[in-house]
């Protein structure tokens, strides 16, 4: 698979590079766009402040520019938390997307968006302060109505960004389970087929 992997609001931390290396070791080609121009943060509050300073539209512009040279190959969009929300937005707008792997995050959907045949896998803590049960239930129903094929995995007791070994959220057991399932998901994806998309 050709995977576009977006970092979280903490920025392009070592865990993002480690995740990309893990995916490459499994035979995938991976790109890790730096949407923060090298900035990394030690707290979610600092990262969110920087995110707001850049602005949602500019972040999406940077993400689109990063993905555009490779989109003809049929990308799997993936991301961590903030990066997952960006990955979701790009995947739903890309008729050639091969799949969507969401780690620790989701995003809202446009009212008339379609995602016919898009394979989606979400991994999220339970509970998660940023991905509440009510939100996830509504998100799941909306993705289903849009035509996506969605799998959701919850990890009881894990912190929000539980795959980053350098953060207090880290949960080794949950992280390893996530990667085991995610690698299986990537292996299962079908050959490139254009989807019908709407906005």
């Amino acid at each position: 698979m050709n995977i576009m992997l977006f970092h979280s609001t903490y920025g392009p931390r070592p865990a993002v590079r480690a995740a990309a290396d893990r995916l490459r070791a499994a035979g995938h080609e991976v790109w890790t766009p730096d949407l923060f121009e090298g900035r990394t943060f030690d707290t979610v509050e600092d990262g969110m402040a920087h995110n707001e300073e850049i602005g949602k539209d500019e972040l999406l512009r940077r993400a689109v520019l990063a993905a555009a040279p490779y989109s003809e190959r049929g990308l799997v969009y993936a991301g961590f938390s903030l990066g997952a929300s960006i990955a979701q937005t790009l995947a739903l707008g890309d008729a050639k997307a091969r799949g969507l792997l969401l780690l620790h995050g989701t995003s809202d959907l446009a009212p008339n968006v379609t995602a016919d045949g898009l394979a989606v896998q979400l991994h999220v803590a339970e509970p998660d302060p940023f991905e509440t049960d009510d939100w996830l239930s509504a998100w799941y129903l909306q993705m289903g109505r849009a035509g996506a094929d969605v799998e959701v995995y919850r990890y009881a007791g894990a912190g929000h960004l539980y795959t980053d070994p350098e953060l207090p959220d880290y949960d080794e057991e949950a992280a390893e389970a996530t990667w085991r399932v995610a690698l299986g998901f990537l292996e299962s994806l079908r050959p490139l087929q254009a989807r019908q998309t709407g906005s």
Side-chain angles (χ1 to χ4, degrees):
M1 291 292 122
N2 297 298
I3 303 171
M4 189 65 54
L5 180 65
F6 294 102
H7 61 73
S8 75
T9 197
Y10 287 93
R13 293 170 56 83
V16 180
R17 295 191 292 274
D21 288 343
R22 186 189 291 248
L23 294 169
R24 292 184 184 112
H28 304 292
E29 190 161 4
V30 186
W31 296 271
T32 56
D34 179 359
L35 305 182
F36 282 4
E37 299 178 331
R39 297 285 301 278
T40 60
F41 301 93
D42 294 324
T43 70
V44 67
E45 292 81 11
D46 288 345
M48 290 175 69
H50 185 65
N51 176 26
E52 291 173 4
E53 181 180 325
I54 296 171
K56 181 178 180 181
D57 290 345
E58 174 61 16
L59 280 176
L60 283 175
R61 187 190 71 83
R62 294 178 184 182
V64 168
L65 287 175
Y70 311 103
S71 61
E72 289 298 317
R73 305 184 187 194
L75 289 171
V76 175
Y77 292 92
F80 299 94
S81 194
L82 167 69
S85 69
I86 291 170
Q88 178 185 306
T89 299
L90 268 60
L92 292 178
D94 182 354
K96 293 185 177 180
R98 301 281 294 274
L100 175 59
L101 176 61
L102 302 172
L103 303 167
H104 322 295
T106 61
S107 183
D108 53 354
L109 282 71
N112 299 318
V113 72
T114 58
D116 292 339
L118 180 66
V120 180
Q121 191 174 89
L122 168 65
H123 297 266
V124 64
E126 182 180 22
D128 187 309
F130 300 103
E131 301 287 326
T132 65
D133 290 346
D134 288 346
W135 168 266
L136 287 173
S137 294
W139 174 86
Y140 181 84
L141 292 173
Q142 291 168 359
M143 289 292 280
R145 284 195 292 267
D149 181 10
V150 182
E151 298 177 347
V152 178
Y153 293 85
R154 306 290 303 273
Y155 299 87
H160 170 65
L161 202 65
Y162 62 80
T163 56
D164 189 328
E166 296 182 352
L167 295 178
D169 288 347
Y170 182 58
D171 185 309
E172 182 178 8
E173 183 176 354
E176 290 305 314
T178 292
W179 286 117
R180 184 167 58 251
V181 174
L183 288 171
F185 168 72
L186 293 169
E187 289 297 324
S188 75
L189 295 179
R190 298 188 299 273
L192 175 61
Q193 291 181 334
R195 297 182 294 105
Q196 297 296 317
T197 63
S199 58

